[in-house]
Amino acid sequence: MAIYDTGKYNIWGGGTIVKASYVCGYCGQKVTSNRGMALEYANNVNRGVNDKPYGVFVCTNCNLPTFIYDDVQVPGSNFGEEINSAPEKVTEIYNEARKSYSTGAFTGVILLCRVLLNHIAVSLGADDDKTFAFYVSYLAENHYIPTGSSEWIDSIRKLGNTANHDLAINTRAEAETIIKFCEMLLKITYEYPSTARNLLNDSNR
């Protein structure tokens, strides 16, 4: 039954399924799976044969299905690593930005990360109800952002202001840049100090 037309591949079947390696959009694990249902060749001669990792794959970790065709993956995987020990609201906004990336909502990623940086700065003592540029400057001037990151900081300011004030559509690369920046900041600000405290507590027992 032809239910997905991709040219020569448009038949669902139970023939050979070529293994695919991907990051599961459900559990976040990098897996390699050859379990699932192949997207097969449409012509009768080659029906039941597929030499590409196209189809629906079952995650070997969580057993949930993912559709893969060329560079399309549904559901997509979140970008950026999970963060521990951050305030609950900060973690929620960061994870929402990562999920927005997985759906291709790159402008949404920029706007969410803008809000995220505001929340981080306020949690670290900045005054409430200030501008985005103020919060980025606050983080830099109070040394929450590592020395040597001035070029990165300027690009984040530009991305945040463009997404908020101009009729701009942001790209995948821009979304990845701001998520990685936020990930770095969250690790330095919350995760690494928490890990260090736990190590010191363990050594003093």
mmCIF file with all atom_site columns, all heavy atoms in Angstrom, residues 74-94:
data_model
loop_
_atom_site.group_PDB
_atom_site.id
_atom_site.type_symbol
_atom_site.label_atom_id
_atom_site.label_alt_id
_atom_site.label_comp_id
_atom_site.label_asym_id
_atom_site.label_entity_id
_atom_site.label_seq_id
_atom_site.pdbx_PDB_ins_code
_atom_site.Cartn_x
_atom_site.Cartn_y
_atom_site.Cartn_z
_atom_site.occupancy
_atom_site.B_iso_or_equiv
_atom_site.pdbx_formal_charge
_atom_site.auth_seq_id
_atom_site.auth_comp_id
_atom_site.auth_asym_id
_atom_site.auth_atom_id
_atom_site.pdbx_PDB_model_num
ATOM 1   N N   . VAL A 1 74 ? 11.447 12.060 12.320 1.00 0.00 ? 74 VAL A N   1
ATOM 2   C CA  . VAL A 1 74 ? 10.248 12.440 13.073 1.00 0.00 ? 74 VAL A CA  1
ATOM 3   C C   . VAL A 1 74 ? 9.961  11.375 14.132 1.00 0.00 ? 74 VAL A C   1
ATOM 4   O O   . VAL A 1 74 ? 9.779  10.210 13.775 1.00 0.00 ? 74 VAL A O   1
ATOM 5   C CB  . VAL A 1 74 ? 9.030  12.589 12.150 1.00 0.00 ? 74 VAL A CB  1
ATOM 6   C CG1 . VAL A 1 74 ? 7.801  12.997 12.960 1.00 0.00 ? 74 VAL A CG1 1
ATOM 7   C CG2 . VAL A 1 74 ? 9.309  13.609 11.040 1.00 0.00 ? 74 VAL A CG2 1
ATOM 8   N N   . PRO A 1 75 ? 9.897  11.695 15.428 1.00 0.00 ? 75 PRO A N   1
ATOM 9   C CA  . PRO A 1 75 ? 10.205 13.026 15.971 1.00 0.00 ? 75 PRO A CA  1
ATOM 10  C C   . PRO A 1 75 ? 11.697 13.303 15.932 1.00 0.00 ? 75 PRO A C   1
ATOM 11  O O   . PRO A 1 75 ? 12.512 12.384 16.036 1.00 0.00 ? 75 PRO A O   1
ATOM 12  C CB  . PRO A 1 75 ? 9.712  12.931 17.420 1.00 0.00 ? 75 PRO A CB  1
ATOM 13  C CG  . PRO A 1 75 ? 9.855  11.482 17.757 1.00 0.00 ? 75 PRO A CG  1
ATOM 14  C CD  . PRO A 1 75 ? 9.531  10.745 16.495 1.00 0.00 ? 75 PRO A CD  1
ATOM 15  N N   . GLY A 1 76 ? 12.061 14.554 15.765 1.00 0.00 ? 76 GLY A N   1
ATOM 16  C CA  . GLY A 1 76 ? 13.462 14.929 15.749 1.00 0.00 ? 76 GLY A CA  1
ATOM 17  C C   . GLY A 1 76 ? 14.069 14.840 17.138 1.00 0.00 ? 76 GLY A C   1
ATOM 18  O O   . GLY A 1 76 ? 13.368 14.729 18.142 1.00 0.00 ? 76 GLY A O   1
ATOM 19  N N   . SER A 1 77 ? 15.375 14.887 17.179 1.00 0.00 ? 77 SER A N   1
ATOM 20  C CA  . SER A 1 77 ? 16.078 14.813 18.468 1.00 0.00 ? 77 SER A CA  1
ATOM 21  C C   . SER A 1 77 ? 16.326 16.214 19.011 1.00 0.00 ? 77 SER A C   1
ATOM 22  O O   . SER A 1 77 ? 16.500 17.174 18.250 1.00 0.00 ? 77 SER A O   1
ATOM 23  C CB  . SER A 1 77 ? 17.405 14.075 18.320 1.00 0.00 ? 77 SER A CB  1
ATOM 24  O OG  . SER A 1 77 ? 18.224 14.704 17.356 1.00 0.00 ? 77 SER A OG  1
ATOM 25  N N   . ASN A 1 78 ? 16.318 16.325 20.324 1.00 0.00 ? 78 ASN A N   1
ATOM 26  C CA  . ASN A 1 78 ? 16.641 17.596 20.963 1.00 0.00 ? 78 ASN A CA  1
ATOM 27  C C   . ASN A 1 78 ? 18.116 17.921 20.758 1.00 0.00 ? 78 ASN A C   1
ATOM 28  O O   . ASN A 1 78 ? 18.952 17.019 20.698 1.00 0.00 ? 78 ASN A O   1
ATOM 29  C CB  . ASN A 1 78 ? 16.356 17.536 22.463 1.00 0.00 ? 78 ASN A CB  1
ATOM 30  C CG  . ASN A 1 78 ? 14.882 17.345 22.762 1.00 0.00 ? 78 ASN A CG  1
ATOM 31  O OD1 . ASN A 1 78 ? 14.031 17.583 21.923 1.00 0.00 ? 78 ASN A OD1 1
ATOM 32  N ND2 . ASN A 1 78 ? 14.586 16.917 23.973 1.00 0.00 ? 78 ASN A ND2 1
ATOM 33  N N   . PHE A 1 79 ? 18.426 19.206 20.644 1.00 0.00 ? 79 PHE A N   1
ATOM 34  C CA  . PHE A 1 79 ? 19.813 19.637 20.528 1.00 0.00 ? 79 PHE A CA  1
ATOM 35  C C   . PHE A 1 79 ? 20.281 20.140 21.884 1.00 0.00 ? 79 PHE A C   1
ATOM 36  O O   . PHE A 1 79 ? 19.525 20.773 22.625 1.00 0.00 ? 79 PHE A O   1
ATOM 37  C CB  . PHE A 1 79 ? 19.948 20.750 19.488 1.00 0.00 ? 79 PHE A CB  1
ATOM 38  C CG  . PHE A 1 79 ? 21.366 21.160 19.219 1.00 0.00 ? 79 PHE A CG  1
ATOM 39  C CD1 . PHE A 1 79 ? 22.185 20.387 18.414 1.00 0.00 ? 79 PHE A CD1 1
ATOM 40  C CD2 . PHE A 1 79 ? 21.893 22.313 19.792 1.00 0.00 ? 79 PHE A CD2 1
ATOM 41  C CE1 . PHE A 1 79 ? 23.501 20.759 18.180 1.00 0.00 ? 79 PHE A CE1 1
ATOM 42  C CE2 . PHE A 1 79 ? 23.199 22.693 19.549 1.00 0.00 ? 79 PHE A CE2 1
ATOM 43  C CZ  . PHE A 1 79 ? 24.013 21.907 18.745 1.00 0.00 ? 79 PHE A CZ  1
ATOM 44  N N   . GLY A 1 80 ? 21.533 19.864 22.214 1.00 0.00 ? 80 GLY A N   1
ATOM 45  C CA  . GLY A 1 80 ? 22.072 20.277 23.500 1.00 0.00 ? 80 GLY A CA  1
ATOM 46  C C   . GLY A 1 80 ? 21.940 19.188 24.545 1.00 0.00 ? 80 GLY A C   1
ATOM 47  O O   . GLY A 1 80 ? 21.086 18.299 24.432 1.00 0.00 ? 80 GLY A O   1
ATOM 48  N N   . GLU A 1 81 ? 22.771 19.255 25.549 1.00 0.00 ? 81 GLU A N   1
ATOM 49  C CA  . GLU A 1 81 ? 22.773 18.247 26.600 1.00 0.00 ? 81 GLU A CA  1
ATOM 50  C C   . GLU A 1 81 ? 21.833 18.626 27.736 1.00 0.00 ? 81 GLU A C   1
ATOM 51  O O   . GLU A 1 81 ? 21.548 19.803 27.954 1.00 0.00 ? 81 GLU A O   1
ATOM 52  C CB  . GLU A 1 81 ? 24.198 18.074 27.162 1.00 0.00 ? 81 GLU A CB  1
ATOM 53  C CG  . GLU A 1 81 ? 25.198 17.572 26.138 1.00 0.00 ? 81 GLU A CG  1
ATOM 54  C CD  . GLU A 1 81 ? 26.578 17.385 26.738 1.00 0.00 ? 81 GLU A CD  1
ATOM 55  O OE1 . GLU A 1 81 ? 26.703 17.447 27.985 1.00 0.00 ? 81 GLU A OE1 1
ATOM 56  O OE2 . GLU A 1 81 ? 27.531 17.191 25.967 1.00 0.00 ? 81 GLU A OE2 1
ATOM 57  N N   . GLU A 1 82 ? 21.356 17.614 28.443 1.00 0.00 ? 82 GLU A N   1
ATOM 58  C CA  . GLU A 1 82 ? 20.544 17.870 29.620 1.00 0.00 ? 82 GLU A CA  1
ATOM 59  C C   . GLU A 1 82 ? 21.399 18.516 30.707 1.00 0.00 ? 82 GLU A C   1
ATOM 60  O O   . GLU A 1 82 ? 22.592 18.262 30.802 1.00 0.00 ? 82 GLU A O   1
ATOM 61  C CB  . GLU A 1 82 ? 19.922 16.569 30.140 1.00 0.00 ? 82 GLU A CB  1
ATOM 62  C CG  . GLU A 1 82 ? 18.867 15.994 29.210 1.00 0.00 ? 82 GLU A CG  1
ATOM 63  C CD  . GLU A 1 82 ? 18.153 14.812 29.824 1.00 0.00 ? 82 GLU A CD  1
ATOM 64  O OE1 . GLU A 1 82 ? 18.392 14.504 31.017 1.00 0.00 ? 82 GLU A OE1 1
ATOM 65  O OE2 . GLU A 1 82 ? 17.352 14.181 29.120 1.00 0.00 ? 82 GLU A OE2 1
ATOM 66  N N   . ILE A 1 83 ? 20.752 19.340 31.522 1.00 0.00 ? 83 ILE A N   1
ATOM 67  C CA  . ILE A 1 83 ? 21.450 20.066 32.581 1.00 0.00 ? 83 ILE A CA  1
ATOM 68  C C   . ILE A 1 83 ? 20.875 19.664 33.937 1.00 0.00 ? 83 ILE A C   1
ATOM 69  O O   . ILE A 1 83 ? 19.656 19.561 34.097 1.00 0.00 ? 83 ILE A O   1
ATOM 70  C CB  . ILE A 1 83 ? 21.292 21.592 32.401 1.00 0.00 ? 83 ILE A CB  1
ATOM 71  C CG1 . ILE A 1 83 ? 21.898 22.033 31.066 1.00 0.00 ? 83 ILE A CG1 1
ATOM 72  C CG2 . ILE A 1 83 ? 21.947 22.344 33.551 1.00 0.00 ? 83 ILE A CG2 1
ATOM 73  C CD1 . ILE A 1 83 ? 23.385 21.824 30.952 1.00 0.00 ? 83 ILE A CD1 1
ATOM 74  N N   . ASN A 1 84 ? 21.763 19.456 34.896 1.00 0.00 ? 84 ASN A N   1
ATOM 75  C CA  . ASN A 1 84 ? 21.339 19.126 36.254 1.00 0.00 ? 84 ASN A CA  1
ATOM 76  C C   . ASN A 1 84 ? 21.556 20.317 37.182 1.00 0.00 ? 84 ASN A C   1
ATOM 77  O O   . ASN A 1 84 ? 22.423 21.158 36.938 1.00 0.00 ? 84 ASN A O   1
ATOM 78  C CB  . ASN A 1 84 ? 22.130 17.930 36.790 1.00 0.00 ? 84 ASN A CB  1
ATOM 79  C CG  . ASN A 1 84 ? 21.906 16.679 35.955 1.00 0.00 ? 84 ASN A CG  1
ATOM 80  O OD1 . ASN A 1 84 ? 20.766 16.359 35.615 1.00 0.00 ? 84 ASN A OD1 1
ATOM 81  N ND2 . ASN A 1 84 ? 22.974 15.988 35.612 1.00 0.00 ? 84 ASN A ND2 1
ATOM 82  N N   . SER A 1 85 ? 20.753 20.380 38.235 1.00 0.00 ? 85 SER A N   1
ATOM 83  C CA  . SER A 1 85 ? 20.949 21.310 39.353 1.00 0.00 ? 85 SER A CA  1
ATOM 84  C C   . SER A 1 85 ? 20.556 22.756 39.074 1.00 0.00 ? 85 SER A C   1
ATOM 85  O O   . SER A 1 85 ? 20.787 23.619 39.934 1.00 0.00 ? 85 SER A O   1
ATOM 86  C CB  . SER A 1 85 ? 22.410 21.287 39.841 1.00 0.00 ? 85 SER A CB  1
ATOM 87  O OG  . SER A 1 85 ? 22.795 19.961 40.153 1.00 0.00 ? 85 SER A OG  1
ATOM 88  N N   . ALA A 1 86 ? 19.987 23.066 37.938 1.00 0.00 ? 86 ALA A N   1
ATOM 89  C CA  . ALA A 1 86 ? 19.515 24.428 37.685 1.00 0.00 ? 86 ALA A CA  1
ATOM 90  C C   . ALA A 1 86 ? 18.137 24.609 38.314 1.00 0.00 ? 86 ALA A C   1
ATOM 91  O O   . ALA A 1 86 ? 17.422 23.636 38.565 1.00 0.00 ? 86 ALA A O   1
ATOM 92  C CB  . ALA A 1 86 ? 19.447 24.690 36.179 1.00 0.00 ? 86 ALA A CB  1
ATOM 93  N N   . PRO A 1 87 ? 17.725 25.845 38.586 1.00 0.00 ? 87 PRO A N   1
ATOM 94  C CA  . PRO A 1 87 ? 16.368 26.086 39.091 1.00 0.00 ? 87 PRO A CA  1
ATOM 95  C C   . PRO A 1 87 ? 15.317 25.503 38.145 1.00 0.00 ? 87 PRO A C   1
ATOM 96  O O   . PRO A 1 87 ? 15.529 25.443 36.925 1.00 0.00 ? 87 PRO A O   1
ATOM 97  C CB  . PRO A 1 87 ? 16.281 27.611 39.148 1.00 0.00 ? 87 PRO A CB  1
ATOM 98  C CG  . PRO A 1 87 ? 17.696 28.064 39.294 1.00 0.00 ? 87 PRO A CG  1
ATOM 99  C CD  . PRO A 1 87 ? 18.509 27.091 38.502 1.00 0.00 ? 87 PRO A CD  1
ATOM 100 N N   . GLU A 1 88 ? 14.191 25.093 38.711 1.00 0.00 ? 88 GLU A N   1
ATOM 101 C CA  . GLU A 1 88 ? 13.180 24.373 37.930 1.00 0.00 ? 88 GLU A CA  1
ATOM 102 C C   . GLU A 1 88 ? 12.703 25.154 36.715 1.00 0.00 ? 88 GLU A C   1
ATOM 103 O O   . GLU A 1 88 ? 12.608 24.615 35.617 1.00 0.00 ? 88 GLU A O   1
ATOM 104 C CB  . GLU A 1 88 ? 11.989 24.031 38.832 1.00 0.00 ? 88 GLU A CB  1
ATOM 105 C CG  . GLU A 1 88 ? 10.907 23.218 38.118 1.00 0.00 ? 88 GLU A CG  1
ATOM 106 C CD  . GLU A 1 88 ? 9.765  22.835 39.037 1.00 0.00 ? 88 GLU A CD  1
ATOM 107 O OE1 . GLU A 1 88 ? 9.843  23.154 40.247 1.00 0.00 ? 88 GLU A OE1 1
ATOM 108 O OE2 . GLU A 1 88 ? 8.798  22.228 38.561 1.00 0.00 ? 88 GLU A OE2 1
ATOM 109 N N   . LYS A 1 89 ? 12.396 26.431 36.893 1.00 0.00 ? 89 LYS A N   1
ATOM 110 C CA  . LYS A 1 89 ? 11.888 27.232 35.778 1.00 0.00 ? 89 LYS A CA  1
ATOM 111 C C   . LYS A 1 89 ? 12.952 27.381 34.690 1.00 0.00 ? 89 LYS A C   1
ATOM 112 O O   . LYS A 1 89 ? 12.637 27.331 33.491 1.00 0.00 ? 89 LYS A O   1
ATOM 113 C CB  . LYS A 1 89 ? 11.436 28.609 36.268 1.00 0.00 ? 89 LYS A CB  1
ATOM 114 C CG  . LYS A 1 89 ? 10.776 29.456 35.184 1.00 0.00 ? 89 LYS A CG  1
ATOM 115 C CD  . LYS A 1 89 ? 10.193 30.737 35.746 1.00 0.00 ? 89 LYS A CD  1
ATOM 116 C CE  . LYS A 1 89 ? 8.943  30.456 36.553 1.00 0.00 ? 89 LYS A CE  1
ATOM 117 N NZ  . LYS A 1 89 ? 8.266  31.722 36.958 1.00 0.00 ? 89 LYS A NZ  1
ATOM 118 N N   . VAL A 1 90 ? 14.200 27.562 35.082 1.00 0.00 ? 90 VAL A N   1
ATOM 119 C CA  . VAL A 1 90 ? 15.304 27.665 34.120 1.00 0.00 ? 90 VAL A CA  1
ATOM 120 C C   . VAL A 1 90 ? 15.425 26.376 33.314 1.00 0.00 ? 90 VAL A C   1
ATOM 121 O O   . VAL A 1 90 ? 15.563 26.408 32.086 1.00 0.00 ? 90 VAL A O   1
ATOM 122 C CB  . VAL A 1 90 ? 16.626 27.974 34.861 1.00 0.00 ? 90 VAL A CB  1
ATOM 123 C CG1 . VAL A 1 90 ? 17.822 27.789 33.929 1.00 0.00 ? 90 VAL A CG1 1
ATOM 124 C CG2 . VAL A 1 90 ? 16.605 29.396 35.415 1.00 0.00 ? 90 VAL A CG2 1
ATOM 125 N N   . THR A 1 91 ? 15.344 25.248 34.004 1.00 0.00 ? 91 THR A N   1
ATOM 126 C CA  . THR A 1 91 ? 15.437 23.953 33.323 1.00 0.00 ? 91 THR A CA  1
ATOM 127 C C   . THR A 1 91 ? 14.286 23.760 32.353 1.00 0.00 ? 91 THR A C   1
ATOM 128 O O   . THR A 1 91 ? 14.473 23.273 31.232 1.00 0.00 ? 91 THR A O   1
ATOM 129 C CB  . THR A 1 91 ? 15.435 22.811 34.359 1.00 0.00 ? 91 THR A CB  1
ATOM 130 O OG1 . THR A 1 91 ? 16.533 22.983 35.252 1.00 0.00 ? 91 THR A OG1 1
ATOM 131 C CG2 . THR A 1 91 ? 15.561 21.456 33.676 1.00 0.00 ? 91 THR A CG2 1
ATOM 132 N N   . GLU A 1 92 ? 13.082 24.158 32.749 1.00 0.00 ? 92 GLU A N   1
ATOM 133 C CA  . GLU A 1 92 ? 11.912 24.005 31.888 1.00 0.00 ? 92 GLU A CA  1
ATOM 134 C C   . GLU A 1 92 ? 12.054 24.811 30.598 1.00 0.00 ? 92 GLU A C   1
ATOM 135 O O   . GLU A 1 92 ? 11.751 24.324 29.501 1.00 0.00 ? 92 GLU A O   1
ATOM 136 C CB  . GLU A 1 92 ? 10.651 24.446 32.635 1.00 0.00 ? 92 GLU A CB  1
ATOM 137 C CG  . GLU A 1 92 ? 10.199 23.474 33.720 1.00 0.00 ? 92 GLU A CG  1
ATOM 138 C CD  . GLU A 1 92 ? 8.967  23.965 34.456 1.00 0.00 ? 92 GLU A CD  1
ATOM 139 O OE1 . GLU A 1 92 ? 8.446  25.046 34.089 1.00 0.00 ? 92 GLU A OE1 1
ATOM 140 O OE2 . GLU A 1 92 ? 8.528  23.282 35.386 1.00 0.00 ? 92 GLU A OE2 1
ATOM 141 N N   . ILE A 1 93 ? 12.520 26.052 30.719 1.00 0.00 ? 93 ILE A N   1
ATOM 142 C CA  . ILE A 1 93 ? 12.659 26.897 29.525 1.00 0.00 ? 93 ILE A CA  1
ATOM 143 C C   . ILE A 1 93 ? 13.755 26.360 28.611 1.00 0.00 ? 93 ILE A C   1
ATOM 144 O O   . ILE A 1 93 ? 13.606 26.320 27.383 1.00 0.00 ? 93 ILE A O   1
ATOM 145 C CB  . ILE A 1 93 ? 12.952 28.356 29.925 1.00 0.00 ? 93 ILE A CB  1
ATOM 146 C CG1 . ILE A 1 93 ? 11.787 28.924 30.733 1.00 0.00 ? 93 ILE A CG1 1
ATOM 147 C CG2 . ILE A 1 93 ? 13.200 29.222 28.681 1.00 0.00 ? 93 ILE A CG2 1
ATOM 148 C CD1 . ILE A 1 93 ? 12.071 30.269 31.371 1.00 0.00 ? 93 ILE A CD1 1
ATOM 149 N N   . TYR A 1 94 ? 14.864 25.927 29.200 1.00 0.00 ? 94 TYR A N   1
ATOM 150 C CA  . TYR A 1 94 ? 15.959 25.350 28.411 1.00 0.00 ? 94 TYR A CA  1
ATOM 151 C C   . TYR A 1 94 ? 15.489 24.110 27.645 1.00 0.00 ? 94 TYR A C   1
ATOM 152 O O   . TYR A 1 94 ? 15.749 23.976 26.439 1.00 0.00 ? 94 TYR A O   1
ATOM 153 C CB  . TYR A 1 94 ? 17.117 25.002 29.338 1.00 0.00 ? 94 TYR A CB  1
ATOM 154 C CG  . TYR A 1 94 ? 18.249 24.238 28.681 1.00 0.00 ? 94 TYR A CG  1
ATOM 155 C CD1 . TYR A 1 94 ? 19.053 24.834 27.711 1.00 0.00 ? 94 TYR A CD1 1
ATOM 156 C CD2 . TYR A 1 94 ? 18.518 22.919 29.044 1.00 0.00 ? 94 TYR A CD2 1
ATOM 157 C CE1 . TYR A 1 94 ? 20.100 24.133 27.116 1.00 0.00 ? 94 TYR A CE1 1
ATOM 158 C CE2 . TYR A 1 94 ? 19.555 22.218 28.459 1.00 0.00 ? 94 TYR A CE2 1
ATOM 159 C CZ  . TYR A 1 94 ? 20.337 22.823 27.492 1.00 0.00 ? 94 TYR A CZ  1
ATOM 160 O OH  . TYR A 1 94 ? 21.374 22.116 26.911 1.00 0.00 ? 94 TYR A OH  1
#
